[in-house]
Amino acid sequence: MAGLLWPETQEGTARNNLVQLLRRMKQTYGENLVRLSDPLELGPQVRVELPLWFAGTAVGADASPLLAGDLLDDVDFDGMPDLEDWLLAQRERVDAARTAALVKAAQQFEAEAQWAEAIGVTQALLAQNALSEDHYRRLMRLQYLSNDRTAALQTYQRCRQMLWQELRVEPMPVTTILAQEIEKGSVDLRPQPKAVQLPLAVQRPPVLVGRSAAWQALEEGWRRGQFIVLAGVPGVGKSRLMHDFVAAKGKALRIEARPGDMLVPYSTTARNLQAILVANPHYRLNAWQRRALAPLLPQYLEDGDLDLPNEMPLNAVIQDIFQMGVRDVEAIVYEDMQYADLASIEAGLIYISSAFPLGRASGIPHMLCTVRTDELNAGTAEVFRQMTLDGLAVQIELPALGEHDVSTLLRQLDVPLGEGIERRLVQFAGGNPLYLLETVRNLIENGTSLQRLPDRLPVPERVSQIIERRLGRLSTGALNTARAASILQSDFSIELVSEVLGAPLFDVARHWEELEAAQIMTGGHFAHDLIYEAILMGIPDPVLRLFHRSAARALLRSGASKARIAIHWHQGGVLNEAAPLYVEAAQEAFRLTRLQEARHFIELAAQLFSDQRDRDQANTVRRMGEALMGTGAVPQP
């Protein structure tokens, strides 16, 4: 504790300071709130409410005790970086515990039909996390149950606006479907399932796997004092690798770029300078510095500053502040640099170039960043290229995990897997650690047994949002090419996609190249199944039916199997075309001695004829099916 409170003081002096502090506390409060022992202990009269949150205790109708803001948000930890890091971790724990307690309360109130109380708690959840579609759906549901359909639909519109404003994404299909059901008055009123406790290893695997080569490259870049760029697609593990690597080196200063920064010059720099100045309130900007920083941080201006000539270079002031902010760290870690504005990137290049190689000897710590290369603007990409050519930077591409590494990761998760499940999950996730973990998390939370998986794996919400952001950057032609491929499934080729779209083959080939560059496609297939699922789920129903009908016509001309064509006509809503093809599909299946599939196609055909009010034909098909199964012959329709 002494080391946390006085990090730059010798141990003996720090311990003496602590003793004096505790004595002053006793004089102030009249009793020992902290026992002077080793380790320190709180006095028996001190009550701490925080552990009650972590224990998941019940929340009453008044959720205000859980909404008291950040833990110790009014306490200043000037010059205590270790204590500040500890507090950040504790705040995250409190936030997680607060969410769990509020969700539990909302479920309890809903189960007891206390709609007003449940709505109040859910609104508290949204106040804590305004981007959670889970919370929006819960609130919509509760408002509907309390006979306030108008409020439920208004909540949906608020959800749409918030997601678009902050993430540039539309709500998930499940949220939109719920809104449509509310509008129609046909909501499923079954209670929400209880939250499932996830194994800790699923939340964060204990050991980093498959990154030994990248780690070695990091060590080499560190040794050379280069600016290290960790690049890769979302979810591949860039941040985990960077933070694990830096944690082995010492303290680090974390800075970040955010979506929208690239539109405003120096917006990234301004935010990070502000964070450094707040963390170092003892540092006083002089008048010349304040004048130079006026365009970035006008809040620091004082009377008369603007009367000064603007003679101090801005980059010099930026370097001075950063130099002060990193005086006791080994590294600067920069998250999501693809969002950074070009001016900030160029200022960083000047900063790095002024004292290369990086490291304590140069006065500037080592610097590492994560970046999604497919989202870099042209200017930033050129800066990175030039830095690499000059030897100032090294870019380490983080590939997808191989099958062996994914299998190793799965075995860390402490969840029992049935026979053959591991191979299927490896194929489904495509070597992306986040996709794999989110898939396992989603299955566990939905109560799906990992001993036997369903035929179609669901796409976890968080992963869908990541993929949808990638899809949103595609041109309309490329997106429709991906949609057509997802509709065709295993049948697709560039030529067939061209026919489904009714587009020139040359245009489709160009769009295909765009999909490969965006890592939506790899060669002649989707990069992994999650992308295919997300694309399919994002196609509006009218467009979906249109694609299926076009696919049926294209497959018919290409001589595809009757079953494939029938399925597309069926899903396209053209029942009179689908029904007879299902009969032919049954015959094909029977010839291949696939009796189960043959029976299934016969049943589909009979049902479709019935749906068209053609009872005679439906009965004929059923009798044909009985003969087909009973005699071993292949009867004709």
Side-chain angles (χ1 to χ4, degrees):
M1 180 60 72
L4 287 173
L5 292 172
W6 294 276
E8 297 181 354
T9 306
Q10 292 184 353
E11 182 178 351
T13 303
R15 284 176 174 267
N16 184 61
N17 290 345
L18 182 58
V19 170
Q20 298 302 322
L21 174 62
L22 295 179
R23 286 176 179 170
R24 290 197 300 273
M25 287 176 62
K26 182 178 181 181
Q27 292 173 357
T28 301
Y29 299 105
E31 53 185 323
N32 284 320
L33 301 182
V34 180
R35 292 176 175 175
L36 187 56
S37 58
D38 198 355
L40 294 177
E41 294 179 351
L42 292 175
Q45 72 277 38
V46 178
R47 179 172 178 267
V48 181
E49 294 183 352
L50 202 58
L52 299 179
W53 295 359
F54 296 143
T57 54
V59 181
D62 180 11
S64 57
L66 287 176
L67 302 175
D70 287 339
L71 175 66
L72 299 180
D73 58 355
D74 56 347
V75 180
D76 184 12
F77 292 100
D78 176 28
M80 305 174 192
D82 289 344
L83 190 56
E84 212 165 17
D85 289 345
W86 172 86
L87 180 60
L88 179 62
Q90 297 307 309
R91 284 173 175 166
E92 291 177 352
R93 290 185 66 205
V94 169
D95 285 344
R98 179 185 292 158
T99 298
L102 288 171
V103 168
K104 183 178 179 181
Q107 290 173 339
Q108 180 178 340
F109 287 134
E110 181 177 352
E112 297 169 357
Q114 298 184 49
W115 310 127
E117 291 82 357
I119 287 172
V121 173
T122 305
Q123 287 172 333
L125 280 165
L126 271 174
Q128 182 178 333
N129 183 359
L131 295 176
S132 170
E133 287 194 57
D134 282 341
H135 301 340
Y136 280 111
R137 286 195 297 271
R138 184 185 299 279
L139 182 57
M140 291 163 60
R141 208 181 129 78
L142 291 168
Q143 289 168 329
Y144 176 85
L145 289 169
S146 65
N147 295 318
D148 195 347
R149 185 161 59 176
T150 300
L153 294 174
Q154 288 173 345
T155 296
Y156 171 69
Q157 292 303 325
R158 182 156 58 97
C159 171
R160 285 191 65 192
Q161 292 170 1
M162 183 64 70
L163 291 174
W164 185 254
Q165 177 182 330
E166 298 296 328
L167 302 176
R168 286 295 187 267
V169 297
E170 290 290 337
M172 296 291 296
V174 66
T175 309
T176 301
I177 290 170
L178 176 60
Q180 293 169 349
E181 290 175 345
I182 287 173
E183 195 166 17
K184 296 175 183 176
S186 58
V187 179
D188 183 359
L189 299 180
R190 289 173 294 182
Q192 295 288 301
K194 295 183 178 179
V196 177
Q197 185 66 38
L198 289 169
L200 289 177
V202 174
Q203 300 178 47
R204 180 181 171 85
V207 179
L208 198 65
V209 299
R211 298 306 184 204
S212 56
W215 191 286
Q216 187 61 39
L218 284 167
E219 291 283 8
E220 184 63 21
W222 183 280
R223 184 186 64 80
R224 293 176 177 172
Q226 293 172 308
F227 174 51
I228 300 174
V229 180
L230 266 178
V233 299
V236 80
K238 303 182 296 295
S239 294
R240 169 74 187 268
L241 176 59
M242 179 175 70
H243 288 295
D244 281 9
F245 177 78
V246 171
K249 301 297 185 181
K251 297 179 184 178
L253 171 69
R254 179 182 179 274
I255 57 180
E256 63 175 348
R258 295 179 184 173
D261 280 3
M262 65 179 62
L263 302 176
V264 182
Y266 287 113
S267 53
T268 303
T269 297
R271 182 188 313 105
N272 293 315
L273 290 176
Q274 170 76 3
I276 292 173
L277 291 172
V278 168
N280 296 272
H282 62 280
Y283 184 80
R284 292 283 299 170
L285 294 170
N286 62 44
W288 296 101
Q289 290 174 317
R290 294 194 301 269
R291 176 66 181 89
L293 285 172
L296 276 61
L297 302 173
Q299 64 269 36
Y300 286 94
L301 283 172
E302 297 181 6
D303 292 341
D305 287 346
L306 290 178
D307 297 333
L308 296 171
N310 191 8
E311 295 180 350
M312 191 169 188
L314 177 58
N315 283 329
V317 182
I318 292 173
Q319 290 186 39
D320 287 346
I321 296 175
F322 267 96
Q323 196 71 20
M324 178 268 300
V326 301
R327 65 188 184 280
D328 59 348
V329 303
E330 293 296 326
I332 300 173
V333 293
Y334 206 140
E335 297 274 9
D336 291 323
M337 191 172 273
Q338 71 276 357
Y339 295 133
D341 62 279
L342 185 57
S344 294
I345 294 291
E346 291 175 346
L349 173 59
I350 295 172
Y351 184 54
I352 293 169
S353 303
S354 65
F356 185 82
L358 303 177
R360 268 298 144 221
S362 68
I364 296 179
H366 295 275
M367 295 183 68
L368 305 89
C369 78
T370 61
V371 65
R372 303 174 190 172
T373 47
D374 63 326
E375 295 184 28
L376 280 180
N377 62 54
T380 302
E382 176 58 27
V383 170
F384 279 9
R385 189 187 72 83
Q386 192 59 52
M387 290 176 68
T388 303
L389 288 175
D390 294 341
L392 300 176
V394 58
Q395 183 163 314
I396 302 171
E397 295 288 341
L398 212 56
L401 296 177
E403 288 192 14
H404 173 74
D405 294 324
V406 176
S407 298
T408 303
L409 177 58
L410 275 172
R411 288 191 285 273
Q412 286 189 43
L413 302 187
D414 194 28
V415 290
L417 300 176
E419 184 178 355
I421 302 302
E422 180 179 303
R423 176 177 296 178
R424 190 165 172 207
L425 288 173
V426 168
Q427 178 185 7
F428 187 67
N432 188 298
L434 173 63
Y435 297 169
L436 177 71
L437 295 174
E438 289 298 323
T439 299
V440 173
R441 178 198 297 265
N442 190 63
L443 291 168
I444 294 174
E445 289 177 339
N446 288 338
T448 303
S449 171
L450 292 174
Q451 295 297 308
R452 182 178 180 182
L453 298 182
D455 292 338
R456 180 168 176 164
L457 291 172
V459 180
E461 178 176 333
R462 181 180 170 195
V463 176
S464 293
Q465 291 177 350
I466 292 173
I467 294 173
E468 284 172 2
R469 286 202 297 273
R470 291 169 66 190
L471 297 176
R473 294 190 296 273
L474 297 174
S475 67
T476 302
L479 179 59
N480 282 330
T481 297
R483 285 173 167 177
S486 70
I487 293 293
L488 288 165
Q489 298 176 343
S490 59
D491 296 313
F492 72 77
S493 64
I494 293 180
E495 292 79 8
L496 201 53
V497 168
S498 172
E499 193 168 353
V500 169
L501 294 173
L505 183 60
F506 177 80
D507 290 347
V508 173
R510 179 164 47 83
H511 296 144
W512 201 277
E513 291 176 357
E514 182 180 345
L515 292 173
E516 289 188 329
Q519 296 186 317
I520 302 298
M521 294 288 184
T522 301
H525 54 83
F526 287 102
H528 46 75
D529 294 342
L530 283 173
I531 289 180
Y532 152 75
E533 295 282 353
I535 292 171
L536 202 57
M537 288 174 59
I539 303 176
D541 285 341
V543 178
L544 190 66
R545 290 191 291 272
L546 180 64
F547 269 119
H548 277 299
R549 294 196 291 270
S550 183
R553 287 188 286 268
L555 291 172
L556 184 62
R557 289 189 292 269
S558 69
S561 72
K562 298 297 188 288
R564 296 291 301 159
I565 301 169
I567 289 170
H568 284 295
W569 282 129
H570 189 177
Q571 294 179 334
V574 187
L575 306 188
N576 61 317
E577 295 284 356
L581 281 173
Y582 274 134
V583 174
E584 294 185 49
Q587 294 171 322
E588 289 182 352
F590 185 84
R591 292 189 185 96
L592 297 170
T593 67
R594 300 299 305 172
L595 300 187
Q596 183 175 347
E597 290 86 344
R599 184 181 297 112
H600 174 65
F601 291 137
I602 284 292
E603 290 170 354
L604 285 173
Q607 183 61 53
L608 292 188
F609 281 122
S610 295
D611 292 345
Q612 297 171 78
R613 302 182 183 278
D614 191 344
R615 294 182 180 178
D616 291 340
Q617 189 65 29
N619 291 332
T620 299
V621 170
R622 289 191 180 99
R623 287 194 297 271
M624 189 190 75
E626 293 171 0
L628 184 147
M629 298 303 165
T631 66
V634 184
Q636 299 301 312

